[in-house]
Amino acid sequence: MPDKFLTALILICSYQLVVAQNDLVQPIEPPLIHHSLKVLLDPSNQQITVEDTITLADASPATAITFSLNSNLAISNHSGDLQILPADAPSADADATAAAMNRYSLTLPRRNAGQVLLIYSGMIFDIAEQSSAEYAQSFSDSSGIISEQGVYLNKGSGWIPDFGNDLLSFDLQVEFVESASNWLAVSQGDRAGKNAWTSLQPMEEIYLIAANFTEYSQQAGDVEVLAYLRQPDSKLAGKYMDATERYLALYEPLLGDYPYSKFALVENFWETGYGMPSFTLLGEQVIRFPFILHSSYPHEILHNWWGNSVFVDYESGNWCEGLTAYMADHLIQEQRGLAVNYRRSTLQKYRNYVRDGLDFPLSEFRSRHSAATEAVGYGKALMMFHMLRRKVGDDAFRSAFASFYRKNRGKRASFSDIQAAFDSVTDSDHSKFFDQWVNRIGAPSLVLNGITVKEQNGGFVIHGSIDQVQEIDPFMLDVPLHVQTQSGIETVVVSTTQRKQSFDISVNSQPLSIATDPMFDLFR
């Protein structure tokens, strides 16, 4: 049956990827900018002090560069000639959770144009609030918090200068005032000492998480597996670290080596479900739900391949959420024999939430902020990848995504890059498939018409048509039909590109019923 082959995919730990000579791991392009950060945190007073030594790429002498920084942070020392610029008018698509920013112009000294020193300090405290009252599943968001409960800083916090560069690298050393001397700091990348982290791999942003954590650690091959809990709980930490080891062992043979030297479960002080490069930030209630270990947790681990290693080219659409949902959430359900129910629920969400005026193509999906955006950006994309897997088969599906990962690690990638990987592996042109599902809105609606049965040559011939009855133009589809006969079920696939597609199906035993896509393998 179709639902068995992703289960088989999971179990093939001995699967060996054959890498063509022109498909070797490509060197990661150097980041445009490097931040060397020394940070002092004072949680009780919600204060941060940062010394940032910035190495710029391709900086020429006496060149003025611009950057933005959280408006609550005052620059006390700098290299070069610094001027504050007039504020830009907020754009319509501005991030509502981002902090208010000041913009600066800095003219670099001729003697050291490639390096900038900035020292700045101030308060960052933005209460976490739910970002969308309309979307009941959404967690609260914050542009950044420094408090006695903990520290959460990301790109939207504006806690490091943003020069507009696409990707960056960093090293980070964090110290705390005496009243928080027992605190620990966590960031992405590699451990470089106590409360010190570094990444020479390109990153989209730099996170800084801190609290009075208890740290747990164990080794899974070359990967350090960590848990940072706000209250000591060795049993809970052990469950998550063991689960991390299992999921790494699951995904590495399928996609390629895990891209970082550590993965950490980090407990947050409000309810979140965030996946960052090399760690996940989950709320204190969330991590204690037993089902999280088999649902959200593998999803966040897999994001280290999709979204946090191969980055998303958002201008052409966010592919990684649907792909991660397919290879994590759907995968787990298929292991349990429940993938049909999962796909049916996915289609129900699209039917229930995507009304007139709310639909949009995958090429316009950026992030989830409503039930409709989830139904399209996660659900439609998930179903697209399921149809693609059925179209090319298991081996090609695995090989294509392993190739996609090798070629695009450390870079931004698009649906077009995924298509290129499948075209190369299968030696076929999948442009029509991708164009239809990435750039079109809507979904097909299918009915069977004119079903007749005739005895012929000792068997039976079923005649009928598959009709696409949606208002919009017909889709190119491979429609599975299941025929129940007295001897069992026979499955055939009817390819169609038109409103009405006739078919004739020959069976040896008396047919009893016929069903269109009963396993919910099509997006419809």
Side-chain angles (χ1 to χ4, degrees), residues 24-139:
L24 298 174
V25 178
Q26 297 185 358
I28 295 174
E29 296 178 359
L32 299 177
I33 192 169
H34 182 87
H35 293 262
S36 185
L37 297 151
K38 296 180 180 179
V39 176
L40 177 65
L41 287 170
D42 183 354
S44 296
N45 293 306
Q46 303 166 352
Q47 294 282 324
I48 184 172
T49 300
V50 180
E51 178 183 316
D52 188 2
T53 302
I54 306 156
T55 302
L56 301 168
D58 301 326
S60 57
T63 297
I65 58 175
T66 60
F67 64 91
S68 59
L69 189 68
N70 189 307
S71 59
N72 288 331
L73 300 177
I75 299 174
S76 58
N77 197 357
H78 55 84
S79 53
D81 180 18
L82 184 70
Q83 294 182 337
I84 191 167
L85 299 174
D88 290 332
S91 62
D93 59 350
D95 185 354
T97 64
M101 303 286 181
N102 284 338
R103 292 181 63 247
Y104 297 89
S105 172
L106 181 65
T107 301
L108 304 177
R110 183 176 296 274
R111 65 183 180 277
N112 193 17
Q115 198 167 73
V116 176
L117 173 66
L118 292 175
I119 299 176
Y120 50 90
S121 60
M123 175 188 293
I124 297 179
F125 183 77
D126 176 34
I127 297 174
E129 296 179 333
Q130 187 166 312
S131 59
S132 174
E134 175 265 334
Y135 186 42
Q137 291 179 305
S138 63
F139 290 116

Side-chain angles (χ1 to χ4, degrees), residues 112-401:
N112 193 17
Q115 198 167 73
V116 176
L117 173 66
L118 292 175
I119 299 176
Y120 50 90
S121 60
M123 175 188 293
I124 297 179
F125 183 77
D126 176 34
I127 297 174
E129 296 179 333
Q130 187 166 312
S131 59
S132 174
E134 175 265 334
Y135 186 42
Q137 291 179 305
S138 63
F139 290 116
S140 296
D141 288 323
S142 169
S143 66
I145 299 177
I146 300 174
S147 74
E148 292 181 313
Q149 289 183 289
V151 173
Y152 170 80
L153 299 174
N154 66 359
K155 183 179 180 70
S157 310
W159 74 281
I160 64 167
D162 184 353
F163 292 85
N165 297 68
D166 188 40
L167 298 172
L168 53 83
S169 62
F170 74 94
D171 59 84
L172 169 67
Q173 175 68 58
V174 181
E175 295 183 358
F176 297 91
V177 297
E178 182 63 29
S179 60
S181 58
N182 293 328
W183 281 38
L184 296 174
V186 185
S187 187
Q188 69 261 50
D190 304 319
R191 192 196 291 271
K194 183 178 181 182
N195 296 327
W197 302 93
T198 183
S199 176
L200 298 181
Q201 297 186 53
M203 294 285 175
E204 293 182 296
E205 56 185 298
I206 304 174
Y207 295 94
L208 175 52
I209 312 299
N212 187 15
F213 290 122
T214 299
E215 178 189 309
Y216 300 88
S217 175
Q218 66 186 43
Q219 202 69 23
D222 295 333
V223 180
E224 185 179 17
V225 179
L226 297 157
Y228 290 87
L229 300 181
R230 296 172 60 80
Q231 297 294 330
D233 190 334
S234 59
K235 185 176 181 180
L236 180 65
K239 286 181 179 179
Y240 274 94
M241 291 189 295
D242 290 344
T244 300
E245 188 169 357
R246 290 197 304 273
Y247 291 124
L248 293 178
L250 167 65
Y251 288 119
E252 283 191 314
L254 302 177
L255 301 175
D257 289 344
Y258 175 74
Y260 300 108
S261 65
K262 71 114 175 11
F263 184 82
L265 165 74
V266 184
E267 182 180 1
N268 202 11
F269 54 98
W270 82 92
E271 296 310 313
T272 52
Y274 297 152
M276 288 79 164
S278 77
F279 74 98
T280 183
L281 188 65
L282 302 182
E284 54 191 1
Q285 293 183 28
V286 170
I287 65 171
R288 288 168 175 82
F289 292 143
F291 61 85
I292 293 297
L293 278 167
H294 312 292
S295 56
S296 299
Y297 197 59
H299 185 105
E300 303 307 345
I301 290 176
L302 184 56
H303 262 312
N304 285 276
W305 281 264
W306 309 136
N308 288 330
S309 182
V310 179
F311 302 109
V312 176
D313 176 10
Y314 287 98
E315 291 300 315
S316 58
N318 182 347
W319 49 267
C320 88
E321 294 298 351
L323 180 58
T324 303
Y326 185 61
M327 289 189 170
D329 308 66
H330 179 274
L331 183 88
I332 299 301
Q333 294 304 310
E334 190 154 357
Q335 283 184 297
R336 298 176 172 185
L338 300 173
V340 173
N341 296 340
Y342 187 90
R343 293 194 295 272
R344 178 174 57 193
S345 176
T346 298
L347 298 181
Q348 287 172 336
K349 289 178 181 178
Y350 181 83
R351 180 197 63 193
N352 292 340
Y353 298 123
V354 182
R355 306 292 185 182
D356 291 342
L358 294 180
D359 204 356
F360 58 93
L362 284 175
S363 59
E364 295 180 6
F365 175 61
R366 304 294 180 263
S367 64
R368 172 180 62 183
H369 55 78
S370 66
T373 54
E374 179 186 22
V376 175
Y378 286 64
K380 182 177 181 179
L382 177 153
M383 291 299 299
M384 184 192 83
F385 291 120
H386 181 67
M387 291 185 291
L388 182 60
R389 186 195 77 184
R390 289 177 55 83
K391 185 178 182 69
V392 304
D394 274 13
D395 288 344
F397 189 79
R398 282 195 301 267
S399 297
F401 273 115

